[in-house]
Amino acid sequence: MWMRPGVCSSSSGGWATNLVCGRHARTLQVRWTAVGLPPATRHFLPLASHSPFSTTRDFHSSATRSNNTNNTNTTNTNYNQHKVTPMCVENKRVVICGGGLGGLALASFLVQDCASKGLHPPSITIIEKSSTRQAKETLSNHTIGIRADSGGVGAFRALGIEQELRAARGSSQFFLARPSGNKMRVLLTNDQYTDPGGDFRIAHSTLFRVMHNRLPNSVRVMWGQTLSDITQTDDVATVHLEDGSKLEADLVVAADGNRSTARTLVCPDQQLEFRGAAGVHGVSRISPVPAPIQGRFGLLVGASGFVFISNLADGTVLWIILGPSDAPLEGRSMLPTLAASAGGPGDEAVKHKREADLRSLAHRIGAEYPDTFHQLVDTATPESLRVFNCLDKPPHRSVGRVVFIGDSAHPVTPLSGNDYNITLSDAQQLSQ
């Protein structure tokens, strides 16, 4: 979400939301005038660790959109005409589409909730398109802000892994900077996570590993499986996989992210909407890490865009540069990595050209930024370079025996920074 104080705006227009801001949001709003950020940037700057929605219930009730004749999601189809009848999941068959953080959390919560009530757990199967656990774990090399005010901290506390995660947390020093000639002028720094029971920040790979290790033994994970269809009758839902196999379920939960295959199959006319900003993502191996960003995460803010920068626990530096754009770049929010592009004749040449094109694009968008940023671009690993488009979609509820959680239910632009917390809250609430 692109926000200015009290307003959520987009260069593509046509929508608005009510804001429920947290600590980072208040800090940035109070200081914007004092530190002299350019007016154009104040309208464009994301509140880096906060979504405007404090709970999933608030998300469904407070999201509002103005009339927009170009809104491709406008439809006469009434998807909510089929409601899920509340059911006890004891001994039921549950299929979870997506083996990410939301799917793992839901499986753990369902088993835990049944145990606490003296019930037999459901038969849970998670289907995940990543070929192995290791492939899924290393897919995302970024950090996540876990928040107390929107369900994340409470969810991990309920699962009994809060302290284990806190022991593995990453950097807590936030910075806000802007270009000053060929240098980064740091406008403010502070430690955002001083409360021992409050927010914390952790690497995605670490969080995934801990949650997978804590997954109940009764939960089956099917790696390397791609969803091809979902069919339903009054009595059962059937999940069809590309290898021809089928899984029958009493309940199907779509937890497969903002590009949810399950949601596309069930609601094919609903598409992600571009929100007027695009850029490049990379992870750099640079030694030594430049002083302004060493051990920190934060924003380098320019006249019309910004760079999110995070010095990760392994010493690498993740960065995402964004600027205004009239259309999405290459049509996808996160393109497959260079390493994943398959190999026919001339494939190496294609990969090298694409790598060069992405570096050139990042340099061009970031022309106003100092050498520190351009060093990050030049030292980014080829496999980490990706196009990054800001996309979202209206919130959605259940269809028959298919229930949506997390970004499959209410995708938001990645830099709202709160989608994982909302997903965890969804999983906990659904299990109850």
Side-chain angles (χ1 to χ4, degrees):
M1 299 293 183
W2 309 114
M3 304 178 199
R4 54 188 166 182
V7 178
C8 185
S9 66
S10 164
S11 59
S12 61
W15 60 289
T17 71
N18 299 323
L19 290 183
V20 181
C21 296
R23 183 161 57 207
H24 289 187
R26 289 194 297 269
T27 300
L28 288 177
Q29 287 180 11
V30 169
R31 301 291 184 90
W32 280 353
T33 302
V35 300
L37 293 183
T41 298
R42 295 179 212 166
H43 289 225
F44 184 69
L45 187 70
L47 304 183
S49 293
H50 292 271
S51 163
F53 311 108
S54 59
T55 67
T56 49
R57 182 180 62 196
D58 289 341
F59 186 99
H60 287 290
S61 62
S62 69
T64 61
R65 293 173 184 263
S66 62
N67 292 329
N68 183 352
T69 56
N70 295 321
N71 187 342
T72 57
N73 286 338
T74 301
T75 174
N76 293 324
T77 304
N78 181 12
Y79 291 114
N80 291 325
Q81 63 184 324
H82 302 293
K83 300 294 185 181
V84 172
T85 302
M87 67 170 69
C88 173
V89 296
E90 183 179 26
N91 292 326
K92 299 293 185 182
R93 299 162 298 176
V94 179
V95 173
I96 300 174
C97 303
L101 300 181
L104 298 180
L106 177 61
S108 295
F109 273 125
L110 287 172
V111 173
Q112 178 177 285
D113 190 63
C114 283
S116 69
K117 296 173 181 176
L119 304 174
H120 292 289
S123 171
I124 302 174
T125 300
I126 299 175
I127 58 173
E128 167 56 43
K129 64 182 178 181
S130 297
S131 58
T132 64
R133 166 191 167 176
Q134 289 72 26
K136 183 68 174 179
E137 182 178 322
T138 58
L139 186 62
S140 298
N141 188 21
H142 63 274
T143 56
I144 300 171
I146 305 302
R147 293 175 50 196
D149 65 352
S150 57
V153 171
F156 290 133
R157 186 172 298 151
L159 288 174
I161 59 176
E162 178 192 2
Q163 295 309 314
E164 183 177 358
L165 295 177
R166 288 189 183 279
R169 69 179 184 265
S171 170
S172 64
Q173 289 287 333
F174 176 81
F175 75 89
L176 181 64
R178 65 175 301 184
S180 179
N182 198 32
K183 295 183 179 180
M184 285 176 57
R185 179 188 169 202
V186 177
L187 305 176
L188 66 90
T189 61
N190 57 10
D191 192 330
Q192 294 291 331
Y193 306 113
T194 56
D195 182 354
D199 303 354
F200 64 95
R201 197 165 191 86
I202 190 168
H204 179 279
S205 56
T206 301
L207 180 53
F208 177 86
R209 183 169 60 253
V210 171
M211 292 185 67
H212 187 277
N213 289 343
R214 291 297 192 96
L215 199 64
N217 293 332
S218 60
V219 176
R220 178 175 63 148
V221 182
M222 298 177 63
W223 299 104
Q225 296 291 338
T226 303
L227 186 65
S228 64
D229 199 7
I230 299 175
T231 57
Q232 300 188 65
T233 67
D234 290 340
D235 301 319
V236 69
T238 304
V239 174
H240 303 257
L241 305 178
E242 280 197 350
D243 64 3
S245 59
K246 301 177 183 179
L247 299 171
E248 291 191 343
D250 300 294
L251 179 67
V252 176
V253 181
D256 50 347
N258 66 349
R259 291 189 173 274
S260 171
T261 300
R263 178 166 170 165
T264 299
L265 291 169
V266 176
C267 314
D269 58 329
Q270 295 195 5
Q271 303 297 321
L272 288 167
E273 297 176 7
F274 181 58
R275 288 301 172 198
V280 181
H281 162 289
V283 177
S284 303
R285 298 189 180 278
I286 183 171
S287 182
V289 175
I293 59 178
Q294 189 172 35
R296 294 173 173 172
F297 73 99
L299 297 172
L300 171 61
V301 182
S304 61
F306 65 93
V307 187
F308 173 79
I309 301 173
S310 180
N311 189 188
L312 305 178
D314 63 1
T316 59
V317 179
L318 178 145
W319 53 269
I320 302 170
I321 182 169
L322 286 174
S325 178
D326 294 331
L329 298 174
E330 299 191 47
R332 296 190 60 178
S333 65
M334 294 292 271
L335 286 177
T337 62
L338 291 166
S341 54
D347 181 61
E348 285 301 315
V350 172
K351 288 194 293 185
H352 287 312
K353 182 181 186 305
R354 182 170 173 274
E355 175 189 347
D357 288 347
L358 287 173
R359 291 190 199 276
S360 176
L361 176 61
H363 283 305
R364 188 166 69 251
I365 297 174
E368 66 177 302
Y369 298 122
D371 284 348
T372 297
F373 168 71
H374 296 283
Q375 290 171 7
L376 294 178
V377 175
D378 290 336
T379 56
T381 60
E383 65 274 10
S384 72
L385 291 167
R386 307 170 184 171
V387 165
F388 193 101
N389 291 315
C390 287
L391 308 165
D392 70 6
K393 188 185 293 184
H396 187 65
R397 295 183 180 176
S398 59
V399 179
R401 291 178 176 269
V402 181
V403 176
F404 304 88
I405 68 170
D407 279 352
S408 67
H410 38 66
V412 293
T413 59
L415 289 179
S416 66
N418 201 29
D419 48 347
Y420 285 107
N421 291 277
I422 296 173
T423 298
L424 291 166
S425 180
D426 284 355
Q428 185 174 18
Q429 291 182 34
L430 180 60
S431 71
Q432 297 170 349

